[in-house]
């Protein structure tokens, strides 16, 4: 921070400008690469000669960035190992929208099946803060893991949470 401040100060002085107040939003640099979203595979549908669609139990309600910004993510099978040949896949959400895409193109094992777990890395900086109750979906929990120990730091939403503002 001091080095950055010195550079800004020097450049402002040479340009004859007042030094501005500087603030840094470190979320992406600190949290982004250290967090991932874990999804459960719901269905696997092959479109012969094109790709396989893999639906998961989340989607645009917990990660709108692909739809809004064409954000590019990777994905990996994490619940088991597989020696199956890779297949071109598109990981899609559960919201029945054409833009409900989690990962546009990825190679996943051809033996992928409902119940498998997929991890999408680098989703920590903004996905949770941009999550919504789209189609009345409940937002997932946030779990912190350190030294092999996991703990819930934001609980999963409940139906009661979703309906708490309803009147009558």
């Amino acid at each position: 921070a001091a080095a950055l401040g010195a550079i800004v100060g020097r450049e402002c002085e040479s340009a004859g400008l007042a030094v501005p107040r500087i603030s840094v939003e470190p979320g992406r640099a600190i949290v982004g690469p250290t967090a991932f979203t874990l999804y459960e595979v719901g269905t696997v549908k092959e479109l012969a000669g094109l790709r396989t669609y893999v639906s998961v139990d989340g989607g645009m309600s917990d990660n709108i960035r692909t739809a809004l910004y064409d954000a590019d993510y990777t994905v990996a099978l994490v619940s088991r190992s597989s020696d199956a040949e890779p297949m071109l896949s598109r990981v899609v959400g559960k919201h029945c929208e054409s833009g409900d895409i989690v990962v546009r193109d990825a190679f996943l094992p051809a033996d992928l099946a409902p119940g498998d777990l997929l991890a999408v890395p680098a989703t920590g900086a903004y996905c949770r803060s941009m999550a919504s109750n789209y189609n009345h979906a409940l937002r997932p929990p946030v779990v912190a893991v350190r030294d092999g120990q996991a703990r819930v730091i934001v609980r999963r939403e409940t139906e009661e949470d979703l309906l708490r503002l309803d009147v009558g």
Side-chain angles (χ1 to χ4, degrees), residues 53-59 90-94 100-103:
Y53 283 81
V54 178
S55 71
V56 295
D57 62 345
R90 177 161 292 167
V91 180
V92 298
K94 64 181 181 179
D100 190 11
I101 298 169
V102 178
V103 180

Side-chain angles (χ1 to χ4, degrees), residues 36-41 54 56 73-82 89 91 102-103 105-109 112 116-121:
F36 64 90
T37 303
L38 188 66
Y39 294 107
E40 182 176 347
V41 173
V54 178
V56 295
Y73 290 99
T74 60
V75 62
L77 171 62
V78 295
S79 54
R80 62 181 174 85
S81 61
S82 173
S89 305
V91 180
V102 178
V103 180
D105 292 304
F107 285 95
L108 290 167
L112 197 68
D116 281 337
L117 299 179
L118 301 177
V120 177

Side-chain angles (χ1 to χ4, degrees), residues 7 9 19 25 39 46 59 64 66 69 89 107 115 120 129 138 140 160:
I7 292 168
V19 176
E25 191 280 303
Y39 294 107
E46 180 185 355
I64 192 67
T66 304
Y69 312 124
S89 305
F107 285 95
V120 177
S129 64
L138 301 174
E160 182 179 283

Side-chain angles (χ1 to χ4, degrees), residues 12 21 33:
C12 285
R21 179 173 179 253

